[in-house]
Amino acid sequence: MLVWFLPLFLLFLLLGLPVFFGMLAAPGLLLWMNGQERDLALLYRNVYNGIDSFPLMAIPFFMLAGELMNRGGITMRLVEFSQALMGHFRGGLAHVNVLSSMLFAGLSGSAVADTSALGSMLIPAMEREGYTRRFAAAITAASSVIGPIIPPSGIMIIYAYVMGESVAALFLAGIVPGILVGLGLMVAVKLMADRYGFPASRSKATWGERGQASLKAFFPLLTPVIILGGILLGVFTPTEAAAVAVAYAILIGMVVLRTLKASDLPDVFMRAAMTSAVVLLLVGAAMAFKTVVSLSYAPQILADWILALSQNPLILLFLINLLLFVVGMFLDAGPAIIILGPILGPIFVDLGIDPIHFAIIMSVNLTVGLATPPMGLVLFVASSVSGERVETIAKAILPFLLVEIIVIFLITFIPEISMTIPRLTGFAD
């Protein structure tokens, strides 16, 4: 009977029940109907146990660091730096949007923060330059998915926590795929700019202007270097690195640049706390949900069904990518990873797929799902920032989604894209 927990959960989602309550109500109702009161108590106790984890403390710290950098005007410095490098190209502001997302990804690791922070600045600017609002919102939403791919990444921290993998290995494996997504979007922008005659946002910057923009962006750009460097050198753990990122953001904002005031901190802390609470509640509910997954024998049933389709790992990877893409349309990346990771991960590891490689396939695919209709979270954020309807943005984003799907399959079938850096640094075999 417990096998029905997933269809019941999907039914609750279709009825409009929030994900957190659906993840607890679906298995809870089935356990109660099955007379398993002891397991029902275990289910709800695991909500707290799932959150009570030292590695997961990295998530609120990274979110706080992103909020501090955004409030301190650091986001603007990254945009100015990107504009000095690429603003003179045809479609310059669209290129700036993508490059800014790549740079901002090294600060926050959040697609929602990326969409909100960069969208509020770049969407009006692009509209003033002659771009349609829907195109500006679409490229902002599409490029924001780079945030959780390039380290630091909240989604990869969650995957590492659930599956017992190395956070450092996942961070390193995400660097090249994130850059590849960004370059792919820039190629798409270039083709569209040539076809539709997009404007350049400014004349070519002089070397002096580029140097000045680089100096302004120097301290913000040091953030990912400090985070990754400290982790790789063994100076601190990923959670400690997140705390260091917060301290560094406060130091840069309040002492070096003096763009962050003490009066700004209460609102920054409140926003970071609210965002973190949503993520951690979902993680707690998903960990409780995972308890019922193990009780229901769903992993074994699904494994048998998948292996009955084919024994060829390449064919199965193709089919699983399709499944993950559909799941990503309806379910947020964090809960999807916690629910499906323990089910799918062991199957593909047994088929000879490196666990770090599969982690990146799953993380990138579900992250792209944040920008896919009908339930992509960043589509709603882009709609809120731009004032454009979600349906309109969803149509405009389709060419960029095609690029991201192509990148997903490149990552899937060319393992070296994600595995080379972890192997060179000794974090993968």
Side-chain angles (χ1 to χ4, degrees):
M1 182 178 180
L2 286 180
V3 175
W4 291 98
F5 74 93
L6 194 55
L8 186 59
F9 168 61
L10 296 176
L11 176 62
F12 283 149
L13 288 187
L14 292 174
L15 294 175
L17 193 68
V19 175
F20 172 74
F21 296 107
M23 294 179 83
L24 296 178
L29 181 61
L30 291 174
L31 287 171
W32 175 73
M33 293 175 65
N34 220 25
Q36 295 175 256
E37 286 80 7
R38 182 179 298 178
D39 292 327
L40 185 61
L42 177 65
L43 173 74
Y44 295 113
R45 190 163 61 246
N46 277 347
V47 174
Y48 173 77
N49 292 338
I51 300 173
D52 185 22
S53 164
F54 180 74
L56 283 182
M57 288 177 64
I59 293 175
F61 276 122
F62 278 129
M63 289 186 171
L64 177 56
E67 288 286 347
L68 288 165
M69 297 240 176
N70 189 32
R71 182 62 65 90
I74 290 173
T75 308
M76 177 63 76
R77 290 169 178 261
L78 295 179
V79 171
E80 290 174 355
F81 174 68
S82 302
Q83 200 158 9
L85 293 181
M86 307 198 70
H88 61 283
F89 291 116
R90 183 178 290 279
L93 266 186
H95 287 297
V96 167
N97 198 320
V98 177
L99 181 58
S100 297
S101 290
M102 295 170 71
L103 298 176
F104 193 75
L107 308 183
S108 72
S110 167
V112 172
D114 187 318
T115 308
S116 178
L118 295 175
S120 59
M121 287 186 293
L122 289 173
I123 291 175
M126 291 179 71
E127 200 172 2
R128 287 193 297 270
E129 291 282 346
Y131 297 87
T132 62
R133 189 184 303 178
R134 66 176 185 175
F135 176 84
I139 188 61
T140 301
S143 63
S144 70
V145 303
I146 300 171
I149 301 174
I150 293 178
S153 166
I155 289 173
M156 291 182 189
I157 292 171
I158 293 172
Y159 191 100
Y161 168 62
V162 173
M163 300 298 292
E165 299 295 341
S166 164
V167 173
L170 293 186
F171 277 8
L172 291 169
I175 294 173
V176 177
I179 294 172
L180 200 57
V181 171
L183 293 177
L185 291 176
M186 287 181 181
V187 170
V189 167
K190 170 77 166 59
L191 295 174
M192 296 175 77
D194 290 341
R195 180 174 180 181
Y196 299 112
F198 291 164
S201 65
R202 55 167 294 168
S203 58
K204 188 171 183 178
T206 64
W207 285 108
E209 289 172 331
R210 290 179 179 178
Q212 190 175 11
S214 300
L215 285 174
K216 286 183 178 181
F218 176 75
F219 288 108
L221 292 176
L222 272 183
T223 307
V225 176
I226 292 171
I227 293 170
L228 277 178
I231 294 172
L232 297 180
L233 293 174
V235 178
F236 35 66
T237 66
T239 303
E240 292 164 347
V244 169
V246 170
Y248 182 72
I250 293 174
L251 176 67
I252 295 303
M254 299 187 73
V255 179
V256 178
L257 303 179
R258 297 186 179 180
T259 51
L260 185 67
K261 301 175 183 177
S263 58
D264 295 327
L265 294 181
D267 184 55
V268 169
F269 289 146
M270 180 64 72
R271 288 173 60 88
M274 293 293 289
T275 309
S276 302
V278 172
V279 174
L280 291 176
L281 279 174
L282 286 172
V283 171
M287 291 301 288
F289 198 81
K290 182 183 170 186
T291 304
V292 178
V293 171
S294 61
L295 291 171
S296 67
Y297 298 102
Q300 294 88 332
I301 294 171
L302 186 59
D304 292 341
W305 180 77
I306 289 173
L307 293 174
L309 296 174
S310 174
Q311 294 290 326
N312 188 324
L314 299 180
I315 294 175
L316 292 178
L317 281 172
F318 176 80
L319 296 175
I320 287 302
N321 268 315
L322 297 182
L323 171 65
L324 292 174
F325 189 74
V326 173
V327 168
M329 291 181 178
F330 300 95
L331 196 59
D332 195 39
I337 282 172
I338 296 176
I339 294 166
L340 296 176
I343 298 175
L344 300 176
I347 298 173
F348 284 90
V349 170
D350 289 344
L351 289 172
I353 306 299
D354 189 283
I356 301 299
H357 181 210
F358 184 76
I360 295 302
I361 294 170
M362 193 169 189
S363 297
V364 174
N365 198 318
L366 292 172
T367 298
V368 170
L370 294 170
T372 54
M375 300 294 290
L377 184 57
V378 297
L379 292 180
F380 290 93
V381 177
S383 173
S384 174
V385 171
S386 67
E388 195 71 39
R389 295 180 60 182
V390 172
E391 306 93 283
T392 308
I393 300 173
K395 291 178 182 177
I397 203 174
L398 292 178
F400 303 119
L401 286 180
L402 176 61
V403 170
E404 291 171 345
I405 291 170
I406 291 171
V407 173
I408 288 171
F409 283 113
L410 287 175
I411 294 167
T412 300
F413 297 115
I414 308 176
E416 290 75 15
I417 291 174
S418 53
M419 296 303 298
T420 297
I421 296 181
R423 284 171 179 160
L424 289 175
T425 53
F427 282 88
D429 298 327

